[in-house]
Amino acid sequence: MKKIKLEIIGLSYNSTQSGGYALVLGEEDGNRRLPIVIGAFEAQSIAIELENMRPQRPLTHDLFKTLADSFEITAEEIIIYNLYEGVFYSRLICRLGDKREEIDCRTSDAIALAVRFGCPIY
């Protein structure tokens, strides 16, 4: 399977879905776009990281990053691998030494973690 690297193009409030935000991903070297509706908490986490802000207290994704760093776990990549009945499915690919794990996660959480870890999204 060929992976296509994605980047965050934009994040905005989604007026059609109460409390939802539209996250738009785009091909790194192309014109295709992938809009994903995400929750307010994930939107906040992504926006804070994109703007290089530091909240007074750690958010959930900060906690996850601190825990991973403490145990020398690295996040290698995020893979959005399926769309089924309007729901995107993703995996967080992590490594601890020689051990590689694929962890199922919500796409919005996966992208928030990718931004926090600085790992690529495919």
Side-chain angles (χ1 to χ4, degrees):
M1 168 179 75
K2 181 183 175 201
K3 294 190 286 188
I4 299 169
K5 191 170 184 183
L6 302 169
E7 56 189 14
I8 296 173
I9 302 297
L11 178 64
S12 63
Y13 183 72
N14 183 354
S15 59
T16 61
Q17 200 165 13
S18 179
Y21 286 77
L23 175 67
V24 180
L25 303 176
E27 290 179 290
E28 186 177 65
D29 296 318
N31 296 320
R32 292 184 291 180
R33 302 290 183 251
L34 180 63
I36 301 173
V37 176
I38 64 174
F41 179 73
E42 293 80 8
Q44 176 190 33
S45 183
I46 291 168
I48 285 171
E49 197 63 35
L50 291 175
E51 297 296 325
N52 293 317
M53 297 167 53
R54 289 290 160 239
Q56 290 182 1
R57 301 291 300 145
L59 300 174
T60 303
H61 300 97
D62 299 318
L63 175 62
F64 188 88
K65 172 83 165 89
T66 301
L67 182 69
D69 289 347
S70 296
F71 290 95
E72 299 178 358
I73 298 168
T74 58
E76 293 186 336
E77 62 188 7
I78 301 299
I79 299 174
I80 302 170
Y81 67 92
N82 199 8
L83 171 63
Y84 181 71
E85 295 183 356
V87 177
F88 287 96
Y89 291 81
S90 298
R91 290 188 183 111
L92 168 63
I93 312 303
C94 295
R95 181 171 299 280
L96 175 59
D98 292 337
K99 185 177 181 183
R100 182 179 186 267
E101 278 297 318
E102 294 188 15
I103 301 168
D104 183 43
C105 56
R106 296 184 318 163
T107 298
S108 56
D109 287 330
I111 293 170
L113 288 169
V115 172
R116 186 68 183 95
F117 276 92
C119 66
I121 304 166
Y122 295 98

